[in-house]
Amino acid sequence: QQPVQSPQAVILREGEDAVINCSSSKALYSVHWYRQKHGEAPVFLMILLKGGEQKGHEKISASFNEKKQQSSLYLTASQLSYSGTYFCGTDIFGNEKLTFGTGTRLTIIP
Amino acid sequence: ETGVTQTPRHLVMGMTNKKSLKCEQHLGHNAMYWYKQSAKKPLELMFVYNFKEQTENNSVPSRFSPECPNSSHLFLHLHTLQPEDSALYLCASSPVTRGFSYEQYFGPGTRLTVT
């Protein structure tokens, strides 16, 4: 079943922070986050495994709440390069089959 | 440079044509995937190959026929498509071991238009 992402779209000024959420109705083995810029391939950001971990990648970090089956992606001090559509992909069985959310379009303005 | 290439990048075909999409990965990965990305829809997993063996067919119509001759190459053969099949078709690969979850590397996609 498809995970639900929120918000669907957000506009930020450069330097502001954003949080993108991804929720599942099923117990998850892992959550993947990807960013896709217009006309380009999705690019991997990070994976979070069950166990409620938090990971960081420069100024982009994420958490995974296993009790709520929810992951949140945190973008701090946003840069123009952060613009794009962010997708979460959920993995239920610990195999290679991901189900992706509908995406969150992030626009950073100067 | 993602290490995953796809050809052609753009394809226009009639409903009675037969064409093939090609994907090649230069990353030494074991698993390869086909995804469909339509406007305003999430990425839809179509097929998964793991060590050249098909491990997933996500209820894809038979007019789409995948082929994986080796771990580096993946094809998607198309025939008698419908206009609703117009979409961006993305190939991906990953270094997968059963029981673990690894990042997927995507190619740039083939923009398919069915007329």
Side-chain angles (χ1 to χ4, degrees), chain A residues 89-100:
Chain A
T90 55
D91 177 4
I92 295 173
F93 300 111
N95 57 22
E96 59 273 22
K97 299 160 192 172
L98 296 181
T99 303
F100 283 90

Side-chain angles (χ1 to χ4, degrees), chain A residues 52-72:
Chain A
E53 64 172 347
Q54 184 156 356
K55 298 186 82 170
H57 177 77
E58 297 180 344
K59 292 182 182 177
I60 301 174
S61 61
S63 63
F64 179 20
N65 186 321
E66 194 175 349
K67 286 185 178 179
K68 294 183 178 180
Q69 300 305 324
Q70 177 176 309
S71 178
S72 296

Side-chain angles (χ1 to χ4, degrees), chain B residues 18-30:
Chain B
K18 289 186 179 181
K19 295 287 184 182
S20 296
L21 310 184
K22 179 182 176 183
C23 174
E24 184 173 1
Q25 59 97 359
H26 311 274
L27 301 169
H29 292 164
N30 305 319

Side-chain angles (χ1 to χ4, degrees), chain B residues 26-71:
Chain B
H26 311 274
L27 301 169
H29 292 164
N30 305 319
M32 297 188 76
Y33 314 75
W34 279 118
Y35 287 91
K36 176 183 179 182
Q37 188 174 36
S38 305
K40 299 183 179 180
K41 283 189 172 183
L43 280 162
E44 298 174 58
L45 179 65
M46 299 175 71
F47 301 103
V48 180
Y49 278 83
N50 197 343
F51 289 97
K52 301 187 296 177
E53 178 184 331
Q54 188 181 123
T55 59
E56 176 75 9
N57 177 335
N58 199 20
S59 303
V60 181
S62 59
R63 57 185 183 270
F64 295 91
S65 175
E67 178 189 1
C68 187
N70 55 62
S71 293

